[in-house]
Amino acid sequence: MTVPPPDVVRSAYAQLAVTDLAAARWFWVDMLGLHVQHAGDRTLYLRGTDELTHHSLVLREGPVAALDHLAYRVRTAADVDRAEAFFRALGRPVRRVPAGAGAHGVGDAVRVLDPLGFPVEFFHEIARGERLIQRYDLHRGAHIARLDHFNICTPDISAAYDHYRSLGFGCSETIEGDGHELYAAWMYRKQTVHDVAFTGGAGPRLHHVGMATHESHQVLRTADVFGSLGKEHHIERGPGRHGVSNAFYVYLRDPDGHRVELYTSDYYTGDPDHETFRWNVRDDRRRDFWGNAVIESWYKEASPVLDLDGAVQPVAEAALDESAVRVGADGLGTSAEAPAGS
Ligand SMILES: [Fe+2]
């Protein structure tokens, strides 16, 4: 018997373990402008200007910089129970987290270690936040509007695709080889390009959290300000235009190396017959529409992931390596094997 999945509304928040909360606050609050909704003992709860729920990012000070957990909001309280039944049927580790025992402001929740090895929470109830969208006097830094998505490193993209399809996610875009083998996929529940995307590589690891701004000039200005302060080493890649998603982007690294993407201008995916757009892995526009090279750290570096007891998890290596695919002079290139010993 197939156990029905919970009705997932959207990617809701990420909780990151950081080693120096003051340094993390400088980056996420002073530089990026996230609003501090609640400051706990060694924890900060942050959100963007458009978010009406309590938080979309939690920073918790701890001994190791890592992903603590990802969280999805589900449609009803009964969907929290459905999440528990769904992951128990898969034989995965499952914990009930009663209101008050987990994240501040979040009601009864379920935390699981999913089949990809990620700690994932499903919750319905969450405290409200004051409407800030027109509190322009409070907008700072990158003027982040909201959390948009998670991007996770996982060694088997097809397995990740199958798991999220079983949770009812649609697929907006893929990167595929000539035999349609999956190098990456973008999957959604809310009506945008994605709530979660998969980057091939050793995993489970967190590649980045995506934070949405309203306009591309906010992405550009953020890069300018990092440069002005001599903090340009926090800028890893971009600004640029993605082929996949069409988003305008810049990737930054926080003081612990956690990666964030400032992201704007993707598109609507809510029609029931929305079709997957498929990129060939040899199309050099897929990762940057202008053909700018992707630096190696972006492909290779990512945050470790904790298990439900807070221990760093081991990773498995990926079979496919998108960074080893070479693009040739004809603009389409060839799928080359990495040289031996490279
Ligand atoms: Fe992203």
Side-chain angles (χ1 to χ4, degrees):
M1 189 185 88
T2 304
V3 176
D7 184 349
V8 175
V9 175
R10 61 178 173 90
S11 50
Y13 79 91
Q15 180 162 320
L16 301 178
V18 300
T19 61
D20 181 339
L21 193 59
R25 184 183 178 116
W26 166 80
F27 180 86
W28 293 95
V29 176
D30 298 346
M31 294 298 287
L32 299 193
L34 284 168
H35 176 75
V36 179
Q37 185 69 13
H38 179 80
D41 180 18
R42 295 163 60 210
T43 313
L44 282 175
Y45 290 79
L46 309 176
R47 66 182 168 108
T49 56
D50 292 13
E51 291 173 318
L52 298 172
T53 48
H54 185 269
H55 58 263
S56 58
L57 181 69
V58 182
L59 304 175
R60 177 183 64 77
E61 196 167 64
V64 179
L67 170 67
D68 193 302
H69 61 274
L70 304 173
Y72 292 99
R73 192 171 192 198
V74 295
R75 193 161 304 280
T76 67
D79 285 302
V80 177
D81 298 332
R82 287 191 189 97
E84 178 177 5
F86 183 83
F87 286 94
R88 285 201 190 285
L90 293 176
R92 302 302 304 169
V94 174
R95 303 252 174 98
R96 274 319 268 232
V97 183
H104 192 84
V106 172
D108 185 35
V110 165
R111 284 188 196 163
V112 308
L113 203 60
D114 77 7
L116 313 177
F118 285 86
V120 179
E121 177 177 287
F122 296 87
F123 71 91
H124 170 67
E125 292 179 12
I126 184 167
R128 311 300 293 174
E130 176 197 354
R131 190 172 186 267
L132 295 177
I133 188 168
Q134 290 175 319
R135 287 298 307 274
Y136 288 106
D137 54 310
L138 300 180
H139 296 191
R140 298 281 185 274
H143 297 195
I144 290 171
R146 56 180 174 77
L147 172 77
D148 187 80
H149 60 267
F150 312 128
N151 190 307
I152 59 177
C153 289
T154 187
D156 185 341
I157 303 296
S158 291
Y161 175 91
D162 290 345
H163 171 60
Y164 273 91
R165 283 297 288 167
S166 75
L167 277 169
F169 282 59
C171 182
S172 58
E173 303 200 30
T174 60
I175 295 175
E176 302 181 6
D178 293 337
H180 296 293
E181 64 277 23
L182 282 178
Y183 282 82
W186 284 255
M187 301 189 73
Y188 61 91
R189 285 292 296 174
K190 70 180 186 308
Q191 298 177 346
T192 62
V193 168
H194 59 321
D195 287 286
V196 65
F198 320 124
T199 299
R205 295 180 300 162
L206 175 68
H207 193 273
H208 65 266
V209 293
M211 294 286 186
T213 66
H214 283 290
E215 299 178 42
S216 54
H217 73 78
Q218 291 155 335
V219 176
L220 290 165
R221 175 177 159 75
T222 303
D224 281 338
V225 173
F226 273 93
S228 294
L229 296 177
K231 302 293 185 183
E232 70 285 351
H233 55 281
H234 289 279
I235 304 171
E236 183 186 35
R237 181 184 159 205
R241 171 79 64 191
H242 281 310
V244 172
S245 81
N246 190 53
F248 195 82
Y249 71 89
V250 67
Y251 293 94
L252 306 164
R253 305 290 290 271
D254 88 348
D256 279 300
H258 294 307
R259 183 182 290 110
V260 58
E261 177 185 25
L262 302 182
Y263 176 97
T264 190
S265 307
D266 68 347
Y267 58 86
Y268 169 76
T269 58
D271 273 25
D273 55 355
H274 188 86
E275 293 184 356
T276 303
F277 189 85
R278 302 175 188 281
W279 293 83
N280 187 283
V281 71
R282 295 180 292 112
D283 189 330
D284 205 22
R285 300 171 300 171
R286 70 197 189 285
R287 292 288 185 184
D288 185 282
F289 198 59
W290 309 327
N292 285 322
V294 178
I295 67 170
E296 188 175 17
S297 65
W298 189 92
Y299 276 122
K300 301 298 185 189
E301 296 177 8
S303 298
V305 168
L306 304 181
D307 65 16
L308 296 182
D309 295 314
V312 173
Q313 296 191 71
V315 298
E317 294 298 325
L320 295 175
D321 183 358
E322 184 182 335
S323 70
V325 176
R326 303 296 176 207
V327 175
D330 61 358
L332 285 178
T334 56
S335 181
E337 302 240 337
S342 67

